[in-house]
Amino acid sequence: MTTRNASFRARPLTRAIALAGLPLMAAMSTATLAQDSQSAQSDEVEQLRQRVDQLEKSLKGAVSSAPELTEDNPYILREGDGLKIGDTTISFGGFIKADAIFGSGGDGTINTYSTGLPRNFASYAASGNNSWKTGFSARESRFSFGTQTDDVAGHTLRTYLEMDFNQGDDAPGNEVVSNSYAPRLRQAYGNWNGWEFGQTYTTFTDLAALPEILNQGKMAAFIYTTQPMIRYNMAAPGGKFMVALENPSDGFISGSGTDFSYDDQSYPDLTARYQIRGKYGFYSIAGVLRNLEDDASDDEELTGAVSLSARIPTIGRDDLRMQYSYGALGRYMGLYTYPEVDLAAQSAGEVKALKSYGATIAYRHFWSPTWRTSIVGSHTEITSDLTNPVATPVANGTLSYFDSSTSAHVNLIWQASRKLELGVEYAYWDFGNIADSGSQQYEQVMASAKMNF
């Protein structure tokens, strides 16, 4: 009896239907109940309870066997921020970024490499032009696709494709009428069982330490390079260890068509990074081993570089970010501020790696949950003795007139919402002359609106 009553109370709808039928059943039994003894009445009550119990079970079966209603197609289901088709979830994202740039030295930022390169800034600094020019661009806008497929040979397969429109000076397109520019591949790689195949940021850097500035990656000394690779990731004490074979390159072809490169290299660049992650921040040590060679002179040099990075939480949401690098940094640092080799030595048929160092430090402060500022200082300098240190590029072994570069950034960013970010930034550059102790300066003010989707 106790079990039945508990079951009966647990189903209010069933109980209500069953109780609604009690008066009818009771009326049919009235005559009999009046004539029977007290024990007979008890039997009838028990039978009535059994009928109610049977009715409850019947209704329960009817409800549980009803088909479930679904609004989604069973083959296309929403999962988080992705769309599932078959056994693969697809996501789409990116942002629209609108920039207004005001540059000194007659820099009009003519919408080719919309926000410039350090080498461009150096040429404007030395131009002797005191006027400020204005440029607008949306070419840093970006879109991306990602996929995740479960149980591919027992492991999850993830892929990522990312493109923007920020092509080089000689790319088709102009700002005369349409400002039309073709998409450009930034990243395209897949991850499976610890392996990564394709193009992404070099293992030689740690993006956790990347300072937050509006002018994407434009600092004197930070390692900021993407290239094709094969990389393996594994767990290590306190974090992870990564090792990769990456695309080798030792040259540069200038906008005028001058070829400063050697030949394609025989061996890939070998890179590795060990990152420690914890409540005290991110800490990395990385290295790259490179073989630079020249078929014409049958000369080559095995060289490399090291880098240390950190991102340290401080007060509240604030953090301190640092990176120091030394060695044959070449194209890996400062968006190719210096060549891979001494160009004067190259013209003499000798492979001589150009050694330099670079240091970057940044502090990010949150004024409130929606307002923040980053203050960034970055410096790089050639440490090798140049073969022919005169003031003319190439003859002095470098790509331009300077052998040191310093940048400073300060910005104010308003995070209006997760989808909208507005900011303004001031940048100051100083380029040290090779020929004397003087230097040249360049300044830039930039305003940006970034709309994520």
Side-chain angles (χ1 to χ4, degrees), residues 11-275:
R11 299 171 175 81
L13 177 62
T14 304
R15 181 185 182 193
I17 296 174
L19 290 177
L22 283 177
L24 178 60
M25 290 183 283
M28 296 173 61
S29 305
T30 300
T32 304
L33 291 172
Q35 298 175 0
D36 289 344
S37 62
Q38 186 65 34
S39 60
Q41 290 177 358
S42 299
D43 291 341
E44 288 294 333
V45 171
E46 179 61 27
Q47 292 176 10
L48 183 61
R49 290 184 182 278
Q50 291 177 359
R51 292 174 185 176
V52 171
D53 192 44
Q54 291 174 355
L55 179 61
E56 177 188 6
K57 292 179 179 179
S58 177
L59 288 172
K60 177 183 176 183
V63 173
S64 64
S65 62
E68 293 289 338
L69 297 178
T70 178
E71 297 179 358
D72 293 321
N73 185 307
Y75 299 103
I76 304 178
L77 301 177
R78 291 281 180 182
E79 288 195 1
D81 60 353
L83 186 70
K84 188 169 185 179
I85 302 178
D87 58 355
T88 298
T89 300
I90 302 174
S91 62
F92 175 73
F95 56 79
I96 302 299
K97 188 168 184 284
D99 298 316
I101 308 104
F102 309 91
S104 68
D107 172 17
T109 57
I110 58 174
N111 215 6
T112 53
Y113 256 133
S114 60
T115 49
L117 291 173
R119 290 193 312 277
N120 303 138
F121 300 157
S123 64
Y124 292 127
S127 67
N129 189 330
N130 295 322
S131 64
W132 283 64
K133 301 297 183 181
T134 302
F136 286 78
S137 176
R139 294 181 62 192
E140 200 177 307
S141 300
R142 190 179 305 174
F143 62 93
S144 61
F145 297 91
T147 71
Q148 176 175 310
T149 306
D150 297 329
D151 194 19
V152 176
H155 301 278
T156 299
L157 173 64
R158 297 179 178 88
T159 67
Y160 183 73
L161 175 65
E162 180 182 78
M163 305 184 79
D164 68 7
F165 307 87
N166 202 21
Q167 300 185 54
D169 291 352
D170 57 347
N174 60 70
E175 58 178 312
V176 176
V177 177
S178 67
N179 287 269
S180 301
Y181 296 91
R184 177 189 73 153
L185 180 68
R186 295 194 78 254
Q187 298 189 76
Y189 69 95
N191 178 290
W192 177 83
N193 192 24
W195 290 93
E196 288 177 338
F197 308 93
Q199 178 168 310
T200 185
Y201 288 96
T202 176
T203 312
F204 187 49
T205 193
D206 189 354
L207 295 183
L210 178 66
E212 184 180 34
I213 64 173
L214 301 185
N215 201 349
Q216 172 192 321
K218 309 301 192 303
M219 290 164 284
F222 200 83
I223 307 297
Y224 193 74
T225 302
T226 61
Q227 59 191 15
M229 68 183 68
I230 301 172
R231 179 161 66 197
Y232 184 69
N233 306 268
M234 67 187 76
K240 62 179 181 179
F241 177 75
M242 293 146 279
V243 61
L245 297 177
E246 304 193 12
N247 183 63
S249 178
D250 69 347
F252 167 75
I253 298 178
S254 71
S256 63
T258 303
D259 188 353
F260 293 139
S261 68
Y262 288 141
D263 315 280
D264 286 339
Q265 303 303 289
S266 300
Y267 309 102
D269 289 357
L270 174 63
T271 60
R273 178 160 59 95
Y274 178 38
Q275 182 190 69

Side-chain angles (χ1 to χ4, degrees), residues 288-309:
V288 57
L289 187 65
R290 320 172 63 190
N291 189 69
L292 306 178
E293 60 189 70
D294 181 13
D295 289 350
S297 63
D298 195 25
D299 192 23
E300 63 182 34
E301 181 179 355
L302 182 65
T303 186
V306 295
S307 181
L308 302 172
S309 301

